Structure formats: structure tokens, C-alpha cells
Amino acid sequence: MAGPTFAVSRGDARGAVVLALTGALDAFTAPDLDAAVAAALTPGRDLVLDLRELEFLAAGGVRALLRAVESAGRARVALRILVGEAQYARIVIDRIDLDGLLPLAA
């Protein structure tokens, strides 16, 4: 049985580019996030990664999030990562103590 598929939807909110992630973010789907982030980095516009609908986050997905932080920093684009308090991605991020490395917003 297949697990949740991964998708990235691009939108705009309050002048920021928003990438909404759904499904499973892991080593197999991380390149899709890398490509979406690279395409979304726009000087003068913030980037928001919305993980509130993400159903699964594996180590490969965490590495992709860290790469997104690095890419945004190199492009001088402000990045925020939205997670829900009791949401799966938030639990994973808390367990591996990434709060200081990822720019999280509730």
C-alpha cells in the first residue's frame, strides 16, 4: 500500500510567496521541495513554507528544510516555516531539537 503522495502548491499571501506542502516529505520527495524553493526565491519577497498539511516528515525531508533555510539565506530572502502546535511536522522538529535552526512560526 502506497503512503501519502507529496505535493507543493504555490500561492501568494501578504506579499510573500507561499509553498504549501502536503503528503510525505522524505528523501524521495525532497528534490521536489528543493526545486520548488529554488523557483520561489524572489528578491524582495518573503518565502513561507506551510507544513500544516504535511502528513509525514522523515530525515530526508528535514535535510530539505535545512537546505531551504540555506538557500533563502544565500538569496537574502526571509523564510518562515508554518507548523501547527500538535501537527506531525512540529512533533518531529521538536523531538530532534531544530527550533533554533528552522525559522518556525505557529
Side-chain angles (χ1 to χ4, degrees):
M1 183 173 154
T5 59
F6 179 72
V8 179
S9 302
R10 183 177 170 148
D12 295 284
R14 297 183 182 149
V17 176
V18 178
L19 298 179
L21 284 55
T22 59
L25 181 56
D26 56 23
F28 296 105
T29 59
D32 296 337
L33 178 59
D34 293 339
V37 167
L41 291 174
T42 305
R45 294 190 70 195
D46 292 355
L47 176 60
V48 176
L49 298 181
D50 185 347
L51 309 185
R52 292 176 295 180
E53 298 297 320
L54 199 63
E55 297 175 43
F56 181 76
L57 179 61
V62 170
R63 285 191 295 274
L65 294 175
L66 293 170
R67 285 193 300 274
V69 171
E70 291 173 0
S71 296
R74 282 192 304 272
R76 296 186 179 176
V77 170
L79 172 68
R80 292 185 315 274
I81 299 174
L82 298 179
V83 292
E85 284 302 314
Q87 189 258 342
Y88 184 81
R90 179 63 193 222
I91 293 167
V92 171
I93 289 166
D94 286 347
R95 290 255 169 113
I96 56 179
D97 198 24
L98 290 177
D99 282 357
L101 297 176
L102 297 176
L104 301 178

